Amino acid sequence: MPRSVSSARFYVTARDVLFKRQYAPAACHKSSRRQPFATQTSTAVINNEVEDVAILGGGITGLACAYYLSRDLPNTKITLFEATPRLGGWLNTETVNVDNGNIIFEQGPRSLRAGLSNGQVTLDLASMLGLENRLLSTDEKSVAAQGRDQSLLKIISTLVSEPVFKGAFSGLFFELFKPPRHPGMKDESVGSFFSRRFGSVLADNLVSAFVHGIYAGDINQLSVRSIFPKLWFLEGRYQSVGKGLWKSNRSGALLMAEEDLKLLQKPSNLVKMKDWGAFTFIGGVGELANTLVDKLEKNPNVTIQKETAVQSLDLRKANSEIKINVIRAARNASRIREKFSHVISTISGVNLDKIADLPPLRQTPSVTVMVVNIFFAGQDLLPVHGFGYLLPRSVPFSENPERALGVVFDSEVTIGQDTVPGTKVTVMLGGHWWDGWQTYPDEDEGARMAKAVLKRHLGIDKEPTVIRVGLQKDCIPQYTVGHRERMAQTSSLLERFEGRLRVAGSSYKGVGLNDCVRAASDVVQGLIDGAGKTGLESFVGEPHWGWLKKNMPRPI
């Protein structure tokens, strides 16, 4: 069974304040393997059209796509192209030896929400890969979960008592009586939405901090319809976010997208861990990518081409057959033309546009984040305990000249990974604060900046035992205002490939690891059963929502 650890998670409390999440357990079943999506009516499978598939990108989305395909269509030839020397993308775990023990540093994601839908897909994948005994969980009975209601009360108390939050509590109350948005409004920024509904105090403090932790982005640029789609829907349906949340709380139901409700009706490979708050792996999140690579390299029908950049895609019709030609630059700089029946692109939207001419994708920028892992041996140096803290945009420059986004208390979040005692933290710098920069701090400067943050905010003035600095360039796509409409346009443009080119990855439906694994599962399912042609069908038309209550999904 997975190991259980205890930790406090401030950002989860923030999410609960915003969403008032009420979980209702969903039925699930055990299965020895992933249930194939193909049926007797699966068009693509019946016609034997999925013969050889090219997967662009060797990050977590590409690896998961290759694994799902190889498992559900074992006779299909799969070629995975990765432009860099390593696989795994932004999953980057390092094991460091310290005093005859080991510590785990994460340059990418470090812990994942269990929850419903997307978290369950990742847990199912871990089960398929035989990683159940490598999971570390934070369960709902931990100190963190037991303190959740207390933390909510503390935050409400803070909204009332702290000068910086003056006006926030009244903003929550008066939201009930504010007029709804204009019927013709298609989207707006996160900052505009929260300021309009709840007041700028809440937007500039609590909301901007939350967004810094997930997107490292600017609330005045990001799309509320893409980042907070439930809140956008609730205002439109009930004329008020608060009234919609009250309905949800009163009925004991959870508002979910229709596609998520359908997902929960499918058999699950892992008993739903409804008591889990979050999870990771004993050897770090990189274990997931490494295990996928190991499985794929042992499969004779899978070929992995590293340091191989795809330079163009085109659709050719000949002899009543449709093939996609891939021209790639190999290590020896030669240009090779290959034909595949299908291509799944998991590279960034900006890079896909360069090789497939999809102009709307050019408008999805990304931010750069510097990640600084720090370990202090043998001491508990943290003056407070919990998940860590996120810095809102309201913090003045004098208190945050390094432009830090937040600090994670890793030694409290991932108990059970390290084999030596000490204090481990991660400082995140940059994000949208560095937009437009042509050069970035080097490793020495990054280390100095991170230590300055710890000294100023936490009073830690000790020299670290180990420090690692990594610059993650263009690592988090930004879903700016109009994102949903642009994705619908992209879906229409992809139609010219007649179902032979589909997309998945962090540029489209979600930037988290769980989102990427879910996207991989969905795009492979669509390829196998012939549903849709692009991977972006959910952006076409208005989304559908439903309530999950007493195990009975009900459309609305």
Side-chain angles (χ1 to χ4, degrees):
M1 288 297 295
R3 303 184 185 185
S4 178
V5 301
S6 173
S7 68
R9 304 176 64 82
F10 172 80
Y11 83 97
V12 173
T13 301
R15 175 179 288 188
D16 288 343
V17 171
L18 297 175
F19 286 95
K20 292 285 287 184
R21 299 185 72 171
Q22 301 292 327
Y23 284 89
C28 64
H29 308 277
K30 276 189 175 181
S31 173
S32 60
R33 58 160 288 167
R34 181 173 187 256
Q35 299 297 314
F37 293 111
T39 66
Q40 291 183 349
T41 59
S42 297
T43 305
V45 174
I46 286 179
N47 295 335
N48 295 317
E49 292 179 349
V50 187
E51 301 169 356
D52 37 41
V53 180
I55 296 175
L56 312 186
I60 186 60
T61 313
L63 293 173
C65 283
Y67 178 75
Y68 287 140
L69 270 174
S70 66
R71 190 175 179 90
D72 293 344
L73 293 179
N75 295 323
T76 297
K77 300 293 184 181
I78 301 167
T79 303
L80 187 149
F81 297 103
E82 168 55 42
T84 71
R86 64 176 295 272
L87 301 169
W90 302 116
L91 277 65
N92 191 356
T93 302
E94 180 185 5
T95 301
V96 181
N97 182 266
V98 177
D99 295 333
N100 298 318
N102 293 320
I103 59 172
I104 301 294
F105 279 158
E106 298 280 15
Q107 280 285 305
R110 64 205 62 250
S111 63
L112 312 170
R113 287 288 292 168
L116 295 172
S117 60
N118 292 4
Q120 186 61 36
V121 175
T122 304
L123 287 171
D124 286 348
L125 178 60
S127 176
M128 296 176 211
L129 297 171
L131 291 174
E132 298 99 320
N133 293 329
R134 301 292 297 173
L135 290 170
L136 287 171
S137 70
T138 302
D139 62 51
E140 295 290 343
K141 296 179 181 179
S142 68
V143 173
Q146 291 174 3
R148 180 175 294 177
D149 291 338
Q150 296 177 1
S151 298
L152 179 57
L153 292 175
K154 287 180 180 179
I155 285 185
I156 293 176
S157 175
T158 299
L159 293 178
V160 175
S161 60
E162 290 292 334
V164 70
F165 288 112
K166 184 179 180 180
F169 188 76
S170 61
L172 291 172
F173 175 75
F174 286 110
E175 190 276 338
L176 296 169
F177 309 102
K178 290 184 176 180
R181 63 179 178 265
H182 188 278
M185 182 181 289
K186 295 182 179 181
D187 199 0
E188 68 180 310
S189 73
V190 171
S192 171
F193 175 86
F194 278 92
S195 295
R196 178 171 59 81
R197 298 305 310 173
F198 303 99
S200 61
V201 174
L202 189 73
D204 290 341
N205 290 280
L206 190 61
V207 178
S208 70
F210 173 82
V211 170
H212 278 170
I214 304 298
Y215 296 91
D218 181 359
I219 60 171
N220 292 321
Q221 299 295 325
L222 293 172
S223 159
V224 70
R225 195 174 182 187
S226 297
I227 306 301
F228 296 100
K230 293 181 183 180
L231 301 188
W232 176 266
F233 168 78
L234 289 174
E235 183 197 14
R237 176 65 185 269
Y238 300 103
Q239 313 302 303
S240 160
V241 175
K243 291 175 183 177
L245 293 176
W246 178 81
K247 174 181 172 59
S248 174
N249 186 61
R250 182 169 174 265
S251 63
L254 174 67
L255 179 66
M256 299 186 70
E258 187 177 76
E259 57 187 358
D260 293 335
L261 291 174
K262 292 178 180 179
L263 175 69
L264 294 178
Q265 294 174 333
K266 293 182 179 295
S268 173
N269 298 318
L270 192 66
V271 174
K272 188 174 297 298
M273 300 300 178
K274 61 186 179 68
D275 291 333
W276 285 16
F279 67 96
T280 185
F281 298 85
I282 295 173
V285 175
E287 269 200 70
L288 182 62
N290 293 338
T291 305
L292 284 167
V293 172
D294 182 62
K295 296 284 187 183
L296 294 173
E297 288 180 337
K298 292 177 180 178
N299 190 319
N301 284 335
V302 177
T303 301
I304 297 176
Q305 299 280 356
K306 292 187 286 187
E307 298 183 84
T308 305
V310 174
Q311 295 185 329
S312 69
L313 296 173
D314 56 58
L315 183 66
R316 298 290 177 87
K317 297 182 180 182
N319 300 323
S320 300
E321 293 184 342
I322 301 176
K323 295 287 185 180
I324 284 187
N325 296 317
V326 176
I327 299 176
R328 59 185 176 88
R331 294 190 188 98
N332 60 5
S334 62
R335 293 168 60 87
I336 304 172
R337 179 180 294 273
E338 298 186 65
K339 295 182 179 180
F340 298 91
S341 65
H342 295 80
V343 173
I344 298 176
S345 172
T346 70
I347 61 178
S348 73
V350 171
N351 287 332
L352 178 59
D353 166 58
K354 294 176 182 177
I355 63 175
D357 190 23
L358 299 168
L361 296 182
R362 299 170 195 170
Q363 301 178 56
T364 304
S366 294
V367 295
T368 295
V369 177
M370 178 166 278
V371 179
V372 185
N373 306 119
I374 302 177
F375 179 77
F376 304 91
Q379 297 187 54
D380 181 5
L381 299 177
L382 296 173
V384 293
H385 298 282
F387 170 81
Y389 62 93
L390 301 170
L391 293 165
R393 68 192 306 269
S394 60
V395 174
F397 181 79
S398 61
E399 295 180 24
N400 186 24
E402 298 82 13
R403 289 310 193 187
L405 300 165
V407 179
V408 180
F409 300 165
D410 294 305
S411 50
E412 308 233 341
V413 174
T414 55
I415 299 173
Q417 283 186 336
D418 302 332
T419 59
V420 291
T423 300
K424 183 173 67 173
V425 300
T426 297
V427 181
M428 299 168 291
L429 307 166
H432 74 96
W433 296 121
W434 290 355
D435 283 352
W437 286 27
Q438 300 300 313
T439 60
Y440 301 97
D442 60 20
E443 291 188 11
D444 290 338
E445 180 67 6
R448 186 198 65 75
M449 294 165 68
K451 289 188 287 186
V453 169
L454 297 182
K455 181 179 179 179
R456 184 183 307 107
H457 296 164
L458 301 175
I460 299 176
D461 197 17
K462 181 180 175 62
E463 192 64 23
T465 305
V466 183
I467 189 165
R468 292 287 188 273
V469 181
L471 185 68
Q472 315 302 330
K473 293 195 65 176
D474 298 327
C475 61
I476 306 178
Q478 302 292 286
Y479 302 164
T480 55
V481 174
H483 177 77
R484 182 177 179 84
E485 185 176 6
R486 291 191 295 273
M487 294 306 101
Q489 294 169 355
T490 302
S491 184
S492 178
L493 292 173
L494 284 169
E495 292 280 351
R496 75 175 187 268
F497 290 95
E498 303 184 18
R500 306 295 174 150
L501 172 61
R502 299 163 189 252
V503 301
S506 61
S507 289
Y508 312 104
K509 297 183 180 181
V511 302
L513 188 153
N514 287 340
D515 302 316
C516 291
V517 174
R518 168 69 184 279
S521 177
D522 286 349
V523 77
V524 170
Q525 175 182 353
L527 178 60
I528 293 175
D529 64 19
K533 293 183 178 181
T534 68
L536 300 178
E537 290 81 13
S538 63
F539 289 102
V540 179
E542 291 299 316
H544 299 283
W545 297 87
W547 296 104
L548 181 65
K549 181 180 179 182
K550 296 180 180 179
N551 302 330
M552 295 297 293
R554 177 172 62 87
I556 58 175

